[in-house]
Amino acid sequence: MIEARRLHILRAVADHRTVTAAAAALYLTPSAVSQQLAALEQETGHRLVERGAKGVRLTPAGEILLGHTNAVLAQLERAEAELAAYSNGEAGTVTVAAFATGIALVVAPAMTRLARTAPGIRLRVQDAEGDASLPMVLDRQVDVAVAVEYRGAPPADDPRLTHVPLYAEPFDAVVPAHHRLADAAEVPLAELAKDVWVGPYPGNPCHDVAVLACENAGFQPRVEHASDDFRAVVALVAVGAGVALVPRSALRGMDLAGVSVRPVDGVAPTRRVFAAIRRGAETHPLIRPVLAALAEVSGV
């Protein structure tokens, strides 16, 4: 008999590619993870993982089992949801991981809505970028992630997750007030090819959106200054340190003295925001109202 707990460990190892990283995500020791993998191999009668210089990879047998693992764990999420519904699970805590602007735009308003529509549900919020929040959902550290689409993100049809679209917003060009394009009606990105850039660190989904937009305009941005805080990005632009692309909502209420904010010419780079949960959990009586509140306040 295969234990579901060991299947969860197998998926964590497949996601994180090293025993050490999987152990940290699951709050286990590397030794415990290795022991559970060995027990799983004994249960199945197959070698499931191979260790190499670059980490751990699944064997063909491991890949077969991983496909079934995603289905089994999703079904277990559905079972938990039905049992909670059976016991009228109308009160409890749901943990949400979201990036800062997402917290301001949808998570905080959703908390207000839930206070009226589902007062027994309490949200616990953690600030996390999308590239961090999705693994947190898969590792069961949080229940819901509010994340941004980015290159390398799990796709909408990922068998481990259910995606709920929330909103999309354009990025605006932010240039110093004395910049040659400060008074332009729209800024063609190609005109900024020789400028120094300010932006988030690699790995931040907004970094990927900005770099991809520049690549589509025919150049690789020369990013010399990095910060994941858009207030810091705008402050650096204001003193002439470079130019930037900033999500429109991140500019709301910000001190824009010293900068000029202009729409991007043509098809603007866009940040697409969604909520993600473990597949099968969408019918859970605590999760379902949270997803509905997030969708409603985002205008979906």
Side-chain angles (χ1 to χ4, degrees), residues 114-206:
L114 286 167
R116 299 193 309 269
T117 61
I121 296 177
R122 174 176 174 265
L123 293 190
R124 179 181 294 129
V125 182
Q126 298 183 22
D127 189 334
E129 293 297 336
D131 58 324
S133 63
L134 294 177
M136 292 168 72
V137 169
L138 290 171
D139 293 333
R140 302 183 70 89
Q141 297 174 18
V142 301
D143 303 303
V144 181
V146 175
V148 178
E149 291 182 2
Y150 61 95
R151 286 189 288 190
D157 60 353
D158 189 295
R160 302 168 299 171
L161 297 168
T162 294
H163 283 217
V164 178
L166 295 180
Y167 66 92
E169 62 172 328
F171 282 60
D172 288 325
V174 182
V175 301
H178 55 75
H179 193 272
R180 63 188 182 282
L181 296 175
D183 295 324
E186 295 180 326
V187 172
L189 285 184
E191 295 294 319
L192 300 176
K194 295 183 179 180
D195 285 81
V196 172
W197 282 71
V198 185
Y201 285 98
N204 185 310
C206 289

Side-chain angles (χ1 to χ4, degrees), residues 109-300:
M111 293 177 76
T112 300
R113 174 172 172 73
L114 286 167
R116 299 193 309 269
T117 61
I121 296 177
R122 174 176 174 265
L123 293 190
R124 179 181 294 129
V125 182
Q126 298 183 22
D127 189 334
E129 293 297 336
D131 58 324
S133 63
L134 294 177
M136 292 168 72
V137 169
L138 290 171
D139 293 333
R140 302 183 70 89
Q141 297 174 18
V142 301
D143 303 303
V144 181
V146 175
V148 178
E149 291 182 2
Y150 61 95
R151 286 189 288 190
D157 60 353
D158 189 295
R160 302 168 299 171
L161 297 168
T162 294
H163 283 217
V164 178
L166 295 180
Y167 66 92
E169 62 172 328
F171 282 60
D172 288 325
V174 182
V175 301
H178 55 75
H179 193 272
R180 63 188 182 282
L181 296 175
D183 295 324
E186 295 180 326
V187 172
L189 285 184
E191 295 294 319
L192 300 176
K194 295 183 179 180
D195 285 81
V196 172
W197 282 71
V198 185
Y201 285 98
N204 185 310
C206 289
H207 172 90
D208 287 348
V209 172
V211 169
L212 181 60
C214 293
E215 290 174 352
N216 289 337
F219 69 98
Q220 187 75 23
R222 182 160 53 98
V223 182
E224 291 193 1
H225 310 286
S227 174
D228 287 333
D229 185 335
F230 283 114
R231 291 171 298 180
V233 169
V234 170
L236 288 169
V237 174
V239 297
V243 300
L245 285 172
V246 178
R248 188 166 292 172
S249 65
L251 295 167
R252 295 178 187 171
M254 193 181 293
D255 181 4
L256 299 176
V259 302
S260 176
V261 179
R262 292 291 181 265
V264 174
D265 182 42
V267 179
T270 301
R271 173 161 74 171
R272 303 186 186 281
V273 180
F274 63 94
I277 57 172
R278 292 180 295 278
R279 189 173 292 271
E282 56 271 12
T283 58
H284 193 288
L286 294 180
I287 302 294
R288 188 175 59 248
V290 174
L291 294 178
L294 289 170
E296 177 147 345
V297 299
S298 69
V300 175

Side-chain angles (χ1 to χ4, degrees), residues 75-91:
Q75 190 60 41
L76 287 175
E77 292 285 351
R78 295 185 187 100
E80 289 183 10
E82 289 189 19
L83 288 171
Y86 175 76
S87 60
N88 294 320
E90 298 175 351

Side-chain angles (χ1 to χ4, degrees), residues 13 29 54 69 150 201 228 269 295:
V13 170
T29 65
K54 296 184 178 180
T69 292
Y150 61 95
Y201 285 98
D228 287 333

Side-chain angles (χ1 to χ4, degrees), residues 48-61:
L48 301 175
V49 298
E50 292 181 343
R51 292 170 173 80
K54 296 184 178 180
V56 176
R57 69 179 183 88
L58 298 189
T59 64

